[in-house]
Amino acid sequence: MNRFLLFCFALLFVLPLSPVLAQDETNDDLEATLGNLARDAAKAYIAPIVSGFGADLNSGWFHRAPWATTFGFDLEFGLVAMGAIMEDTHRSFMLEGNFHFTDAMASELAQQAAPSNPGAWNDIKNAILAQEFTVTFSGPTIVGSNKDSLLISFPGKTIDVNGTPTNLPSYASGLPVRGLLEEARFVPLGTPQLSLGTFLGTQFTFRYLPEVQIDEKIGKFKYFGFGIQHNPMVWFGGEDALPFEVAAAFFTQNLKVGSLMDASATAFGVNASIRLGWGFLNLTPYAGFLLESAKMKWAYDYTVDTPSGQTQERIEFEAEGENSSRIVLGASIKILLVNVNVDLNLAKYRTLSAGVMIVI
């Protein structure tokens, strides 16, 4: 498994992924894989984990609405685990984008363009390497098969070679880009979480992990999240105003992996819950509706072959998760000081969430 995913998952107490079966060592490194892709193809390739991580980050924040009390002491701490469900539609992509041919590809294309004129091959190759071309990318995403390579299809084009129009034929070739997380059914994530309340019907929730150095090349791992829920019934009759608890909620967080990736996620909305039972033994169904967003900033070195040799371009882009809203349906069970909850989050990228909390 590539270092980026391995480190994020290990540090965040993540549930095991399906085995990674890639045979090419280069493809076990996400940064090296992205180094073969320009911006357009890279965004499509990593899209499932952008949306998956975003969906995970916005999951698991609550298992009940806070009490409508003016002052109270509610302390919860424990672990929350989330998993965005990967569908078959997330495992491959096709798009049209810009591409720099490699030296080997340019040589092959030059020979096809002038099969009977070997003396022109080098000039044609250099003319190809000096520019970008529009191609069609098709193949696996990061959660796709590691047995299939990303395919580029070039429709052909007339280019200028030392003042002479030269017809380049249609061309197709594979890139050393395969799925790194083959057959992963979930993009999992987990984190420690602490909630503290209740002040004027308000509960505060925190997620945090200490800053950790991944390695000298990638840099440091950082993670922090903060959330707030407020029960407005505290101003309209308190706990007796409704037979259930309601809350308005806001959650935000940031996860950074050195210079490779910087992710942020935000969600806000409403939720409600009702406790059935006693303080030491109860069942609490809960539901919520959230509007959400998630963004990931990526940066990596893209390797380009040019007429004068190989060079690297720094590629930076921001990708957005596809989820814009979700419905949360779940239930929690409390026995003495232990609370366990499970919920399903219905959205474009569905997630399952579960938590184990010590409640004081």
Side-chain angles (χ1 to χ4, degrees):
M1 183 181 292
N2 61 77
R3 289 174 297 174
F4 161 65
L5 290 173
L6 177 61
F7 232 54
C8 283
F9 293 170
L11 289 173
L12 290 176
F13 304 96
V14 173
L15 303 176
L17 284 173
S18 299
V20 179
L21 303 177
Q23 299 299 315
D24 185 347
E25 183 177 349
T26 301
N27 289 328
D28 287 341
D29 186 333
L30 177 58
E31 193 169 16
T33 298
L34 292 178
N36 294 294
L37 298 173
R39 179 182 284 102
D40 295 335
K43 289 180 73 172
Y45 177 76
I46 54 93
I49 62 168
V50 172
S51 293
F53 267 120
D56 285 342
L57 288 170
N58 285 324
S59 298
W61 278 102
F62 61 85
H63 59 83
R64 65 174 179 87
W67 308 118
T69 55
T70 304
F71 296 102
F73 181 76
D74 296 300
L75 175 64
E76 300 181 358
F77 59 92
L79 297 177
V80 179
M82 305 80 83
I85 300 171
M86 293 292 103
E87 308 286 356
D88 289 342
T89 55
H90 303 146
R91 303 191 186 283
S92 62
F93 75 96
M94 178 181 290
L95 66 80
E96 190 176 87
N98 295 325
F99 180 70
H100 274 286
F101 284 107
T102 66
D103 189 275
M105 291 177 179
S107 294
E108 186 177 355
L109 192 53
Q111 294 174 33
Q112 294 179 9
S116 59
N117 187 10
W121 290 353
N122 192 61
D123 288 339
I124 297 173
K125 183 188 79 169
N126 288 337
I128 294 171
L129 293 177
Q131 58 188 292
E132 284 186 325
F133 294 88
T134 300
V135 303
T136 298
F137 298 92
S138 60
T141 65
I142 189 171
V143 296
S145 171
N146 75 334
K147 298 180 177 63
D148 298 326
S149 296
L150 184 63
L151 179 69
I152 60 162
S153 299
F154 174 58
K157 185 179 180 180
T158 299
I159 64 172
D160 180 85
V161 181
N162 297 330
T164 302
T166 301
N167 294 321
L168 300 180
S170 60
Y171 177 80
S173 182
L175 290 174
V177 175
R178 302 181 178 91
L180 293 177
L181 301 173
E182 184 185 17
E183 297 182 358
R185 299 303 175 189
F186 296 88
V187 171
L189 193 65
T191 178
Q193 184 165 295
L194 180 147
S195 295
L196 181 64
T198 305
F199 175 70
L200 299 179
T202 303
Q203 183 182 63
F204 302 92
T205 302
F206 303 90
R207 294 175 173 178
Y208 171 73
L209 282 170
E211 185 176 295
V212 177
Q213 178 77 22
I214 297 176
D215 64 22
E216 293 183 359
K217 180 180 178 181
I218 294 179
K220 294 182 178 180
F221 172 91
K222 302 177 183 179
Y223 179 61
F224 176 76
F226 168 76
I228 183 171
Q229 294 185 81
H230 176 69
N231 189 332
M233 293 301 105
V234 71
W235 310 108
F236 304 100
E239 295 184 23
D240 298 326
L242 293 173
F244 54 88
E245 305 300 330
V246 297
F250 173 81
F251 310 104
T252 186
Q253 58 208 298
N254 179 263
L255 183 154
K256 186 173 183 179
V257 182
S259 60
L260 179 62
M261 186 270 286
D262 189 346
S264 61
T266 300
F268 61 93
V270 295
N271 60 283
S273 63
I274 182 169
R275 187 174 74 177
L276 306 174
W278 305 272
F280 66 93
L281 177 63
N282 60 71
L283 171 68
T284 303
Y286 59 94
F289 175 77
L290 299 174
L291 299 175
E292 63 178 294
S293 64
K295 297 179 180 180
M296 282 190 178
K297 296 179 181 179
W298 294 80
Y300 63 95
D301 293 324
Y302 172 45
T303 302
V304 179
D305 289 335
T306 71
S308 58
Q310 197 171 78
T311 186
Q312 289 187 329
E313 296 179 3
R314 190 64 176 173
I315 299 291
E316 298 183 2
F317 64 85
E318 183 176 88
E320 295 187 6
E322 295 186 55
N323 279 2
S324 59
S325 64
R326 70 173 64 199
I327 296 173
V328 183
L329 301 172
S332 65
I333 298 175
K334 181 187 176 186
I335 302 176
L336 299 178
L337 298 180
V338 179
N339 190 93
V340 178
N341 74 284
V342 178
D343 58 54
L344 172 65
N345 295 251
L346 302 175
K348 189 165 186 178
Y349 275 72
R350 295 175 297 153
T351 62
L352 293 171
S353 172
V356 179
M357 296 287 166
I358 302 299
V359 181
I360 300 176

